[in-house]
Amino acid sequence: MHKVVIVGRPNVGKSSLFNRLLGKRSAVVADVPGVTRDLKEGVVETDQGRFLLVDTGGLWSGDKWERKIQEKVDRALEDAEVVLFAVDGRSELTQADYEVAEYLRRKGKPVILVATKVDDPKHEHYLGPLYALGFGDPIPTSSEHARGLEELLEAIWEKLPVRHIESEPEVAGIKLAIVGRPNAGKSSLLNAILGEERVIVSEEPGTTRDAIDVHFTFRGQPFVLVDTAGIRKRPETLVEELAIRRSLKAIEEADVVLLVIDPFQVGDRELKLANHALEKGKPVVLVISKWDLVRKEEAPKVRRELKEKLAHLEHLPRVFTSAFTKQNLERIFSEAVRLFELNHTRIPTAELNRWLSVWTAKVQLPNFKGKPLKILYATQPEVAPPTFVFFVNHPEFVTRAFENYLKNRIGEDLGLKEVPFRLVFRGRREES
């Protein structure tokens, strides 16, 4: 797939441009510098084709992240085919803009100069100084008002090399959301999987400010790994609040959730995150991180404590892993694929109703004032999560105890206890 990378100094509107070209709010945007620190990817679909768009951290930021951000931009530009050099069209050029321009000249990549925040056509008359950057005519755009995007896309396709259309369609990747509390080891885990420092890792909580999508293939199976900001009890800033919202949205958009758990810090937050995912119909793998830090003689005790603290999640698979030693990294993917397939299980109607006759024969059905509940038949209309619809004479007769009985039987007999599934009871008159 073609690759286009957005670069520029901090706070020139790179993430807003990224969101607009994707057609959705994917990156956290705030009017403070340094919100984006890692690489963020998304696929742009157009009439001419599709390309991978990469958002990057602000170059020449002047803060402690400057060197690591530049390393990541260097890596992103290695196989980039076009670079969008974003500059603030409403501000005077800064020394950082000239530094970025010189940096891009050394890279030798095709560059499109994009003037951002040009909300009104009359402001285009003030873009003359941008020619001093040496990249020709700037394209005026406004992410807020969706101005200039068609012209920009046209310019991108003019610079992209022509490729033959691939005969085989691309297989959609399984989306894995990596979630957890701050400093649980999420970014370290992602870097260990990729074999490179793709996202910045620091002992300082809140280093990851946004959900970071990374396309990855493991044993022929494509994945999209989504590293998310650590979820605190109470966000301290607007940026943190926006990042947490994106983390929760990443859970809702995922196929499988990897809940990363620090074995030395386990509490209600892990239970709430798992429950949020399960309520949204997402399977969850419990990834116990930093296992290399647990001494061998202490491991049985730590396992017992984890079992007690995560008792309500006992039915979920768990993988003990280490980003440092790379222990069990492959098993994370095998468990994720297994849960993905399990969550897409479809039980044929005939088989489901055979089981239903077995289940109802083993239990006394609820009744109301002497009138019994009757289950006429069941079917499964949906997957991900599997949803079972029971047609009954009186839905209001279904008790909590009987519903839990059916859930236990479906989990055990149909092998679905590791994934969330839903039960729906609908009224239907008996045929006379």
Side-chain angles (χ1 to χ4, degrees), residues 10-81:
N11 214 30
V12 294
K14 298 185 296 300
S15 293
S16 295
L17 179 63
F18 177 82
N19 287 341
R20 267 298 185 181
L21 289 173
L22 284 182
K24 59 182 179 181
R25 192 173 187 84
S26 180
V28 171
V29 177
D31 194 22
V32 293
V35 173
T36 301
R37 292 172 179 165
D38 298 298
L39 305 180
K40 186 167 181 60
E41 300 177 350
V43 177
V44 177
E45 303 274 359
T46 73
D47 293 337
Q48 297 99 316
R50 59 212 304 260
F51 60 84
L52 185 69
L53 184 66
V54 182
D55 186 21
T56 65
L59 290 167
W60 277 268
S61 59
D63 59 22
K64 64 181 178 180
W65 307 109
E66 180 174 318
R67 183 181 60 80
K68 285 188 174 291
I69 288 173
Q70 183 166 340
E71 289 174 358
K72 285 171 175 40
V73 178
D74 285 341
R75 190 171 297 120
L77 291 178
E78 286 177 2
D79 56 349
E81 293 171 302

Side-chain angles (χ1 to χ4, degrees), residues 14 79 118 120 138 141 185 200 272-273 276 278 280 313 327 349 361 368 399 411:
K14 298 185 296 300
D79 56 349
V118 186
D120 193 301
T141 66
I200 296 173
K272 288 178 180 178
L273 278 172
H276 178 76
L278 295 172
K280 297 297 181 180
L313 308 178
Q327 173 187 351
T349 300
F368 183 72
T399 62

Side-chain angles (χ1 to χ4, degrees), residues 351-366 372-378 390-393 398 402-403 405-407 409-410 413 425:
E351 180 182 345
L352 180 59
N353 283 279
R354 281 196 297 271
W355 277 111
L356 182 59
S357 64
V358 173
W359 299 333
T360 54
K362 293 181 177 180
V363 68
Q364 184 174 354
L365 296 179
L373 172 73
K374 290 186 179 180
I375 303 181
L376 306 177
Y377 69 96
F390 295 86
F391 291 91
V392 301
N393 59 341
V398 178
F402 182 66
E403 183 175 355
Y405 169 76
L406 286 180
K407 286 181 178 179
R409 297 280 36 93
I410 289 173
D413 296 337
F425 297 93

Side-chain angles (χ1 to χ4, degrees), residues 276-290:
H276 178 76
L278 295 172
E279 287 170 4
K280 297 297 181 180
K282 308 302 178 179
V284 177
V285 180
L286 304 181
V287 180
I288 315 301
S289 64
K290 307 179 183 180

Side-chain angles (χ1 to χ4, degrees), residues 16-17 20-21 23 117-119 140-152:
S16 295
L17 179 63
R20 267 298 185 181
L21 289 173
K117 308 180 184 181
V118 186
D119 299 332
T141 66
S142 168
S143 297
E144 184 176 353
H145 300 288
R147 290 190 64 243
L149 299 183
E150 292 297 327
E151 293 80 358
L152 178 56

Side-chain angles (χ1 to χ4, degrees), residues 263-277:
F264 308 105
Q265 271 192 309
V266 185
D268 291 343
R269 214 171 320 174
E270 284 69 28
L271 297 175
K272 288 178 180 178
L273 278 172
N275 287 333
H276 178 76

Side-chain angles (χ1 to χ4, degrees), residues 212-224:
I212 310 299
D213 293 10
V214 179
H215 296 256
F216 177 73
T217 300
F218 179 74
R219 293 185 176 174
Q221 170 66 54
F223 292 90
V224 179

Side-chain angles (χ1 to χ4, degrees), residues 36 55 80 97 139 147 160 190 256 261-262 303 355 375:
T36 301
D55 186 21
D97 289 317
I139 297 180
R147 290 190 64 243
L160 286 173
L190 177 62
V256 177
I261 299 173
D262 184 334
R303 284 178 183 268
W355 277 111
I375 303 181

